[in-house]
Amino acid sequence: MRIFHRGWTHLFLVLLACLPFMVAAQSDRPKIALVLSGGGAKGAAHIGILKVLEEKRIPVDIIVGTSMGAYVAGMSAMGLSAEEVERTTLAIDWSKGYQDRVGREELSLRKKQQIERFQLRTDIGFNDGAFQLPNGFIQGQTMASLLRLATFNLPSLQSFDDLPIPYRAMATDMETVTPFVLDHGSLAKAMQASMSIPGALKPVRWEGRILADGGIVNNMPVDVAKAMGADVVIAVDIGARLRTQESLNSGLAMIGQLTTFMTRVGTDRQKALLEDGDILLTPDIDDIGIADFARMPDGIKRGEMAAMKAAPELDRLALSKERYKEYRDHKLSRRAERSGQPAYFIDKVEIINNSRLSDETVRAMLNVRPDQIQTNESLEAGIRRLYALESFDRITYKIEERDGENVLVVDANEKSWGPGFLNFQFGFSDDFESNSNYNVGMSYTLTNVNKWGAEWLTEAALGTSKHVKTVFYTPLEPSQTFYGEASLAYNKTPRRIFNIGLDASTNPDISYSFFSSELAVGWNSQPWSRIYTGLEGQIGSIEIKQAGNANVDATTWGPFIHFEYDTLDSLYFPYSGNKWDMKLGYSRVNLTGGELDQMGRDRGLNYNFAMVKPWSWDRHSLNLILEGGGSNSDEIVPLYVQDLGGPFRLSGFQRYQLSGRYSLLGGLRYIYRVADNDFGAFRMPLYLGSSLEQGGVWNKGAEIDFDSSITAGSVYVGVESFLGPIFLGYGVAEGGNNMFYLQLGTTFE
């Protein structure tokens, strides 16, 4: 035992004697910090600089960033190589980060229909007699998703020192407008806080603070790197430069100049902190805009060029191959211990529900169960389902490791400017001859009326047609699978009726003015599919102008069943999905009108169906269109009137020019996407196309045949805009009918 003890004592004394030399060996090189500034798409230059540092075997021991620099720094801090950062960054569609709304295919049928009737989605709050606005043009929901996926949902950290490379992100505390250093927590959330441009992107709430883009107060945080113990700082300045006198030619240019000046003042203060031995890199990227994400590959090359110009200064920091391998192996070892994963076993789900919805409803929409493996994609899909309710301004989540368990923490915040919201409609159409139609409308939606997400929608439109409607919709259980709905509406619509037995040669103009009500229960089998049944009724009058200006009073009521299915990616320019709409009703009809009292009392079936099926390849799409309807009740003036006319519905005729008791239409429509026109916050794709149609309207079912149908077609140019669809085209139909047409937005005509 004594020999064993003496041997260990000697070994300990030897190690103790060698310790100073071991420490010296580890500390015989300076601690190098990389400081990356903000500048939007210009930040791609940082990736080029990382590539050169790796080529020259220059280690990075600390990495700090602001805004886009915080993103690149964070990705590098995770232990990713420059090539991996480049590949991940260029694969991200950054413009989507400025588009908060989920895709049309993910919206419920109700939301699709509301959005397409009232395309001007201002989302202005109106509550207690006062208007309220969002606290950011973009809420940052999609940007948060992009950053989470880029970082593989890295679990929250007690300290960013635990990353393979110690990391800090710079943000601005908007309450005090002072610098705030993010040093722990969710890496993706820290990146987003540093990138949230005030007024454009909603600030990020972080432990009781409101944080926004760090470039406001410190766009190149050299001081943070030095406080972390850096011996040498490599700082990269990609901030905008002040405009010349010649370019200060507008109010926006003046505002931009002031913003740039404030950023430059902070950057100049940080430059003053650089000492002998520190290195400042300034890539030549002034011609790349902060939103020029398509030019990011060019920005990477510009960063490489800037780093190569500083080669003499950088080379003195290079390590030997052996020592750089030790550095890289150590970094990769830490990466293996602390890295994001494509999937996680979720032990618990914790909901921070800052809304009037019940926790059960939030959980049902998420559909994320504990004690199961969840991929990052399935987690994001659950968040999108919840966000598609359009009740929340931002929904975030993070994965926390607690006592050996993975806890999914979901933070759902209801829109602070709700619960009532205004949206608007403007629609206009013209045939450049004698027929112009327009509608101006507004809707008010009171959301989350009960804990299951009930809504009270009221809408009104004035113009060629008149429309007022109020609808109360309520789910009947937390998952919103089953629902009840009650509505009351008034509509006044002009039409022209053919072959109704009055005076076919004059094609009388008729105006339908009706109050209608509906009471229904339904099943949302999927967000994009529902079936509902109930009772509907109408009471009103029909004015026949060419028949002695006769007025016919009419009433109808009866049961119905309605099936809807819609997965189209776009209602007006579809490239994928399907749309089905089928309704069957049975009604008692009563028409009276003095001398026209004999016009009828009857009962019978009424039905409508419509189908759209697109096939697409590259920028081309071919749509099959089928629709029709009718009623076998025998009143002489059809109450359930069918119509054709307008673009793609026998294009040579005006809207509603062909109306009768029965209609049938089949057609093929070709669409070619000429340009995407993706501006980040919104898109306005441009299309060219043509159509071929065959169909008609008839007064009796026995009259329906191919010989009496009409062939028509059109050519057009179209734009899908935030105002709604825009069409300019020319349509022709058998019988010498033709017209140019212009349509903007949607109407209730």
Side-chain angles (χ1 to χ4, degrees):
M1 288 292 294
R2 182 173 298 175
I3 296 172
F4 177 79
H5 176 72
R6 183 179 300 170
W8 278 104
T9 301
H10 288 165
L11 179 60
F12 175 75
L13 292 174
V14 170
L15 291 174
L16 187 64
C18 293
L19 184 60
F21 299 100
M22 295 170 65
V23 172
Q26 292 295 320
S27 61
D28 64 351
R29 70 171 181 84
K31 183 180 289 187
I32 300 171
L34 183 60
V35 178
L36 306 178
S37 58
K42 298 171 183 280
H46 296 320
I47 301 173
I49 288 165
L50 286 173
K51 293 174 75 172
V52 173
L53 294 182
E54 287 185 1
E55 291 170 5
K56 290 183 171 294
R57 302 191 301 277
I58 297 172
V60 175
D61 306 297
I62 297 168
I63 191 159
V64 183
T66 298
S67 196
M68 195 63 169
Y71 160 78
V72 176
M75 298 296 285
S76 183
M78 290 174 61
L80 274 65
S81 67
E83 182 182 350
E84 289 174 307
V85 176
E86 178 182 22
R87 186 166 59 248
T88 302
T89 303
L90 296 184
I92 295 174
D93 185 351
W94 289 98
S95 59
K96 283 188 176 180
Y98 299 91
Q99 301 170 4
D100 269 337
R101 298 192 182 277
V102 299
R104 183 182 187 275
E105 63 277 6
E106 295 181 287
L107 291 169
S108 69
L109 279 168
R110 290 181 55 257
K111 293 299 180 184
K112 290 173 184 175
Q113 292 163 0
Q114 290 174 17
I115 289 171
E116 280 146 7
R117 284 198 305 268
F118 292 87
Q119 292 264 3
L120 297 174
R121 307 299 290 178
T122 62
D123 222 20
I124 295 173
F126 184 74
N127 304 283
D128 299 324
F131 293 99
Q132 296 173 285
L133 297 175
N135 51 7
F137 181 65
I138 308 293
Q139 297 305 303
Q141 181 69 26
T142 308
M143 183 64 77
S145 175
L146 293 176
L147 294 174
R148 285 192 298 263
L149 290 175
T151 58
F152 298 102
N153 266 334
L154 181 71
S156 293
L157 300 171
Q158 293 297 318
S159 171
F160 288 151
D161 288 343
D162 295 335
L163 289 165
I165 302 176
Y167 164 80
R168 299 291 185 271
M170 175 59 65
T172 300
D173 185 329
M174 293 303 293
E175 183 179 8
T176 58
V177 195
T178 55
F180 185 84
V181 179
L182 295 153
D183 61 3
H184 69 281
S186 164
L187 179 62
K189 190 173 181 179
M191 291 176 177
Q192 185 170 15
S194 185
M195 297 169 70
S196 296
I197 303 171
L201 285 166
K202 179 186 174 181
V204 170
R205 290 194 172 273
W206 184 285
E207 299 177 356
R209 298 175 184 267
I210 300 175
L211 303 182
D213 195 310
I216 302 170
V217 290
N218 191 348
N219 200 42
M220 195 175 70
V222 173
D223 55 344
V224 176
K226 288 187 174 291
M228 293 175 69
D231 299 311
V232 175
V233 172
I234 302 173
V236 186
D237 181 11
I238 61 167
R241 305 293 182 264
L242 291 173
R243 291 173 176 261
T244 62
Q245 182 176 350
E246 292 75 16
S247 62
L248 293 172
N249 50 14
S250 69
L252 288 176
M254 295 293 183
I255 294 173
Q257 185 81 328
L258 290 174
T259 303
T260 301
F261 172 75
M262 290 187 291
T263 303
R264 294 307 315 170
V265 168
T267 300
D268 289 342
R269 282 199 296 264
Q270 295 300 310
K271 284 183 180 179
L273 299 176
L274 295 174
E275 302 171 330
D276 291 342
D278 293 335
I279 302 169
L280 176 65
L281 303 177
T282 309
D284 181 11
I285 50 173
D286 288 345
D287 60 324
I288 299 178
I290 60 172
D292 285 344
F293 297 111
R295 296 191 61 188
M296 292 183 89
D298 186 26
I300 294 173
K301 293 178 182 177
R302 305 281 188 93
E304 291 183 66
M305 292 169 60
M308 293 306 296
K309 285 182 180 179
E313 298 174 87
L314 293 172
D315 286 342
R316 61 183 175 81
L317 301 174
L319 299 180
S320 66
K321 291 182 179 180
E322 293 76 14
R323 295 201 62 185
Y324 189 75
K325 183 179 183 301
E326 291 175 8
Y327 160 81
R328 187 181 60 193
D329 290 347
H330 177 68
K331 183 175 71 171
L332 292 177
S333 176
R334 288 174 60 87
R335 173 178 170 177
E337 297 170 0
R338 178 64 66 183
S339 63
Q341 304 295 329
Y344 291 89
F345 184 87
I346 302 299
D347 296 283
K348 294 179 181 178
V349 179
E350 180 179 306
I351 305 293
I352 303 174
N353 182 14
N354 299 309
S355 78
R356 284 165 298 160
L357 293 176
S358 67
D359 288 353
E360 292 79 9
T361 297
V362 174
R363 289 179 182 274
M365 292 296 105
L366 283 173
N367 194 26
V368 175
R369 301 178 184 275
D371 298 325
Q372 290 184 0
I373 293 176
Q374 298 287 342
T375 65
N376 292 337
E377 288 74 15
S378 68
L379 292 173
E380 294 295 336
I383 295 296
R384 288 197 302 273
R385 279 193 299 273
L386 185 56
Y387 193 70
L389 296 177
E390 297 201 326
S391 295
F392 300 93
D393 60 356
R394 185 184 290 170
I395 306 166
T396 61
Y397 74 89
K398 59 184 177 181
I399 297 171
E400 294 185 351
E401 295 178 350
R402 300 179 189 168
D403 301 324
E405 294 184 327
N406 288 330
V407 181
L408 176 67
V409 182
V410 179
D411 191 350
N413 294 285
E414 192 172 3
K415 291 178 177 178
S416 59
W417 62 99
F421 303 96
L422 292 171
N423 290 293
F424 300 89
Q425 174 212 65
F426 174 73
F428 173 81
S429 64
D430 196 298
D431 64 3
F432 299 99
E433 290 185 2
S434 59
N435 191 41
S436 295
N437 297 296
Y438 75 95
N439 275 109
V440 178
M442 179 178 70
S443 72
Y444 178 74
T445 307
L446 187 62
T447 62
N448 295 343
V449 177
N450 62 27
K451 64 180 181 180
W452 293 338
E455 290 186 355
W456 185 7
L457 167 67
T458 301
E459 56 189 34
L462 300 175
T464 307
S465 298
K466 310 295 188 292
H467 171 84
V468 180
K469 186 176 184 179
T470 186
V471 184
F472 182 75
Y473 169 93
T474 180
L476 301 177
E477 37 72 53
S479 71
Q480 300 189 353
T481 302
F482 299 98
Y483 69 92
E485 187 173 68
S487 68
L488 179 66
Y490 170 76
N491 288 279
K492 183 175 182 179
T493 308
R495 296 176 183 262
R496 180 172 294 176
I497 305 295
F498 284 113
N499 298 321
I500 62 172
L502 293 175
D503 187 353
S505 63
T506 61
N507 299 327
D509 290 325
I510 295 184
S511 178
Y512 285 75
S513 300
F514 279 92
F515 288 93
S516 61
S517 63
E518 185 177 294
L519 187 65
V521 292
W523 173 38
N524 293 314
S525 59
Q526 298 287 347
W528 55 85
S529 176
R530 67 177 179 177
I531 185 169
Y532 54 106
T533 185
L535 292 172
E536 61 181 354
Q538 297 183 78
I539 181 171
S541 64
I542 305 172
E543 181 184 0
I544 308 173
K545 296 182 179 179
Q546 279 92 339
N549 292 324
N551 282 293
V552 179
D553 295 326
T555 60
T556 177
W557 67 273
F560 72 92
I561 185 168
H562 197 162
F563 170 73
E564 295 177 291
Y565 179 100
D566 185 350
T567 57
L568 295 179
D569 59 339
S570 167
L571 180 63
Y572 305 104
F573 303 94
Y575 274 65
S576 64
N578 292 277
K579 185 177 190 298
W580 290 89
D581 190 332
M582 295 180 287
K583 182 179 180 182
L584 176 65
Y586 180 80
S587 297
R588 297 175 60 92
V589 180
N590 185 15
L591 270 64
T592 61
E595 295 180 0
L596 297 176
D597 189 63
Q598 73 277 13
M599 295 186 75
R601 297 174 179 83
D602 202 357
R603 66 188 68 189
L605 295 172
N606 58 84
Y607 56 90
N608 291 279
F609 68 89
M611 185 272 281
V612 178
K613 170 58 183 174
W615 294 274
S616 64
W617 63 102
D618 298 328
R619 291 180 170 267
H620 309 269
S621 181
L622 183 65
N623 296 181
L624 172 63
I625 302 170
L626 295 174
E627 67 171 85
S631 169
N632 65 2
S633 57
D634 223 5
E635 73 280 5
I636 192 167
V637 178
L639 188 59
Y640 293 96
V641 64
Q642 303 296 315
D643 67 86
L644 289 174
F648 320 125
R649 305 180 74 247
L650 297 186
S651 301
F653 293 94
Q654 299 169 357
R655 179 81 166 114
Y656 288 139
Q657 188 175 349
L658 304 176
S659 297
R661 196 181 308 277
Y662 297 92
S663 72
L664 189 61
L665 175 75
L668 290 173
R669 178 183 165 205
Y670 169 71
I671 305 169
Y672 175 71
R673 190 171 68 252
V674 178
D676 295 324
N677 294 330
D678 192 339
F679 302 105
F682 64 94
R683 298 174 66 246
M684 292 184 64
L686 173 67
Y687 302 90
L688 292 175
S690 61
S691 66
L692 177 64
E693 308 129 38
Q694 187 79 31
V697 298
W698 296 270
N699 189 44
K700 297 180 180 180
E703 298 173 350
I704 301 173
D705 60 28
F706 183 83
D707 292 338
S708 60
S709 66
I710 299 169
T711 303
S714 69
V715 292
Y716 66 91
V717 58
V719 175
E720 191 160 25
S721 76
F722 62 91
L723 294 173
I726 302 173
F727 290 101
L728 176 62
Y730 176 71
V732 296
E734 280 186 277
N737 295 281
N738 62 84
M739 69 170 190
F740 287 95
Y741 59 84
L742 171 66
Q743 178 180 321
L744 168 63
T746 56
T747 69
F748 286 101
E749 46 167 326

